[in-house]
Amino acid sequence: MKITIVGAGYVGLVSGACFADFGHDVTCVDKDDAKISALSDGIMPIYEPGLDALVAKNAGADRLNFSTDLVTAVAAADVVFIAVGTPSRRGDGHADLSYVYAASSEIADALTGFTVMATKSTVPVGTGDEIERIIKERNPKADCVVASNPEFLREGAAIEDFKHPDRIVVGIEDERARGPMTELYRPIYLNQGPLVFTSRRTAELIKYASNSFLAMKITFINEMADLSEAIGANVQDVARVIGLDKRIGSKFLNSGPGFGGSCFPKDAVALVKTANDYDRPLKLVETTIAVNERRKRNMASKIIDAMGGEVRGKRIGLLGLTFKPNTDDMRDAPSIAIAQTLNGEGAQISAFDPEGMAQAELELPFLNYCNSAYSAAQDADALVIVTEWDQFRALDFTRLKTLMKTPLLIDLRNIYRRSEIEPFGFKYRCVGRPGEEIA
Ligand code: NAD
């Protein structure tokens, strides 16, 4: 099949490379000239494990092309995906649909022959109806059906998630979309990935419900961590045991500095806005957002407390800045609120992140960026693990002790145990495991 993907960001690029790998003929279109020319030269605009090799393989086989020419690419396509951004709208938190509607208008003008237009961008309920209206208005003769096909991939594991999804959801209002969408995903559902057809509005809601539920689950265990600290329990054991209950499940039960990233924060806020528009407030999701915002700032207070209540003039090393490992994405990362608060309190902050420093510099220009965990620890009064990159899981504490001014490790991801730290003479703070801490 011929597929055109409008928007070559995380979702568009990964989806395009994976569809091409299934044997489809894919063109990724973006309006960012620099991005398209870099991609044509094999340079990835994002860090995602395995993506460069997958793109090179499929571009080499001429199944994956990159272009700024939307008109030609859309005219040739059987299925056109919209994968442009839907950030939070400034001021009110509703999803900003201006990119989606602009892309829809451009696509509408370029349609020829029967085409399925599918939205991969995360869009509020009713957006598909509006896209349909735009197409009818701009190109009344277009033979086009609009489907919703939300994407659930996780950054850092995006290719694996795309190729082996828990489910594929396709929301349709016109039966003519079913055949092409089924054909498109044939390699996946033959591999046991369930393909679920729903109404278009249902598919749109499923994506928001899914992200908001996961955000709620993380926030629940973070609150359990706070309670564990107060009552002398161990939140890791609580999470492990409640996760053994199949009704609860073990994923998304790691307590830490709060959720961030390009999706959960903005999607939870957008769902609350939609619900309020329909006069059906979502109190659980509203509370999740508020608790998570507070948590990021509380993490800075935790660091300050561990350092004796005062950080002015002290040096802090931050390990990890991205919102999670294996990505360079800094959007809404908890490190931003933590670093800003510590900076506001007068701390000198050094930081190291394996992939995220170029993006981080845009958000956090005041940090002293280092080329390793050890240089971030140089002369530090505390070292803070903010993001659990694998390379921070086996730090050389003998070396760190010689580098740091004060041997204090604050582990916001609970990746160490007291028994591993104690022999090196470090003080240790973690999250929700008071019995593991070393004063
Ligand atoms: P992104 O910002 O990385 O990429 C969007 C791309 O669209 C940019 O390259 C931009 O230049 C391009 N673009 C914008 N308007 C265009 C137009 N008219 N024509 C051509 N190109 C255009 O965004 P992303 O992270 O890939 O997210 C895209 C959508 O997918 C969002 O709605 C997001 O919520 C959703 N989503 C993201 C993830 C994720 O992990 N990042 C996962 C699931 C769903």
Side-chain angles (χ1 to χ4, degrees):
M1 292 181 84
K2 279 195 179 300
I3 303 170
T4 289
I5 300 186
V6 178
Y10 267 97
V11 165
L13 185 54
V14 170
S15 308
C18 291
F19 277 135
D21 211 42
F22 294 152
H24 296 305
D25 182 352
V26 180
T27 302
C28 289
V29 174
D30 205 289
K31 54 173 22 171
D32 181 339
D33 287 342
K35 192 178 267 189
I36 291 299
S37 74
L39 278 166
S40 304
D41 291 340
I43 300 165
M44 297 302 108
I46 51 168
Y47 173 74
E48 179 62 41
L51 185 61
D52 45 1
L54 195 69
V55 168
K57 175 182 158 199
N58 288 286
D62 207 22
R63 287 190 297 265
L64 179 61
N65 292 287
F66 300 102
S67 174
T68 52
D69 178 2
L70 181 142
V71 173
T72 306
V74 167
D78 303 306
V79 180
V80 177
F81 282 100
I82 297 183
V84 301
T86 49
S88 262
R89 195 162 69 193
R90 271 183 199 282
D92 67 5
H94 270 289
D96 179 352
L97 294 173
S98 56
Y99 302 102
V100 170
Y101 292 150
S104 304
S105 302
E106 290 174 60
I107 295 166
D109 295 346
L111 288 166
T112 60
F114 176 68
T115 313
V116 178
M117 188 157 152
T119 313
K120 266 218 175 291
S121 300
T122 302
V123 293
V125 174
T127 305
D129 305 353
E130 180 60 14
I131 293 173
E132 204 165 80
R133 197 196 59 73
I134 290 171
I135 295 170
K136 283 208 177 96
E137 187 182 281
R138 292 188 72 105
N139 188 351
K141 292 203 178 119
D143 189 11
C144 175
V145 292
V146 177
S148 164
N149 177 212
E151 183 50 58
F152 297 94
L153 59 78
R154 292 165 302 163
E155 289 177 17
I159 294 169
E160 172 64 21
D161 282 355
F162 192 93
K163 290 191 162 185
H164 302 101
D166 292 338
R167 68 330 205 172
I168 302 150
V169 180
V170 182
I172 58 174
E173 293 301 315
D174 186 320
E175 273 303 314
R176 289 184 300 159
R178 189 182 292 263
M181 293 306 283
T182 304
E183 184 59 23
L184 198 60
Y185 282 109
R186 196 170 164 276
I188 298 181
Y189 72 74
L190 284 180
N191 229 358
Q192 309 291 316
L195 178 57
V196 184
F197 281 92
T198 66
S199 76
R200 197 166 57 204
R201 285 182 161 238
T202 305
E204 289 168 341
L205 180 58
I206 284 169
K207 173 65 190 176
Y208 282 100
S210 178
N211 276 0
S212 297
F213 189 86
L214 293 173
M216 227 163 56
K217 202 171 172 191
I218 294 171
T219 304
F220 176 83
I221 205 66
N222 282 340
E223 289 204 312
M224 286 300 125
D226 288 349
L227 183 60
S228 297
E229 284 176 10
I231 64 177
N234 182 321
V235 76
Q236 245 171 0
D237 291 342
V238 172
R240 193 168 64 244
V241 178
I242 66 172
L244 289 171
D245 184 331
K246 290 192 180 62
R247 293 169 303 176
I248 295 174
S250 59
K251 305 264 175 68
F252 282 74
L253 286 178
N254 293 324
S255 53
F259 62 81
S262 64
C263 293
F264 288 5
K266 79 169 174 63
D267 291 350
V269 171
L271 182 60
V272 162
K273 295 290 174 191
T274 300
N276 287 341
D277 286 349
Y278 286 84
D279 204 16
R280 296 288 190 282
L282 299 175
K283 294 294 176 200
L284 284 176
V285 185
E286 285 174 21
T287 305
T288 295
I289 295 164
V291 169
N292 193 61
E293 276 310 303
R294 202 168 55 229
R295 184 164 193 82
K296 292 188 247 174
R297 287 191 301 278
N298 286 352
M299 288 298 113
S301 306
K302 187 181 184 76
I303 295 166
I304 295 168
D305 287 349
M307 295 179 72
E310 173 66 55
V311 292
R312 187 160 300 281
K314 291 188 181 166
R315 181 162 287 283
I316 300 173
L318 298 185
L319 299 189
L321 296 167
T322 51
F323 79 99
K324 66 173 179 179
N326 295 325
T327 180
D328 58 354
D329 203 333
M330 279 296 294
R331 289 178 277 187
D332 267 320
S335 64
I336 298 172
I338 293 171
Q340 284 171 341
T341 309
L342 294 174
N343 182 57
E345 293 294 320
Q348 315 277 315
I349 310 171
S350 297
F352 168 69
D353 187 283
E355 297 292 339
M357 292 197 288
Q359 291 300 317
E361 241 173 318
L362 305 173
E363 299 274 355
L364 302 168
F366 52 84
L367 298 186
N368 168 37
Y369 290 93
C370 301
N371 58 12
S372 74
Y374 299 97
S375 54
Q378 184 75 49
D379 297 325
D381 297 284
L383 193 60
V384 185
I385 296 172
V386 184
T387 312
E388 70 279 30
W389 286 88
D390 275 349
Q391 61 177 271
F392 303 147
R393 290 178 185 271
L395 293 170
D396 178 346
F397 286 101
T398 307
R399 185 172 166 203
L400 284 175
K401 181 122 188 268
T402 63
L403 293 171
M404 292 175 68
K405 201 189 275 173
T406 318
L408 167 61
L409 180 70
I410 303 169
D411 177 4
L412 300 184
R413 299 290 183 169
N414 286 342
I415 61 176
Y416 285 102
R417 294 209 172 104
R418 180 186 188 109
S419 55
E420 295 164 322
I421 308 291
E422 204 149 36
F424 299 98
F426 268 73
K427 288 184 178 178
Y428 181 63
R429 288 281 180 282
C430 50
V431 176
R433 302 181 306 163
E436 291 287 321
E437 299 199 323
I438 306 168

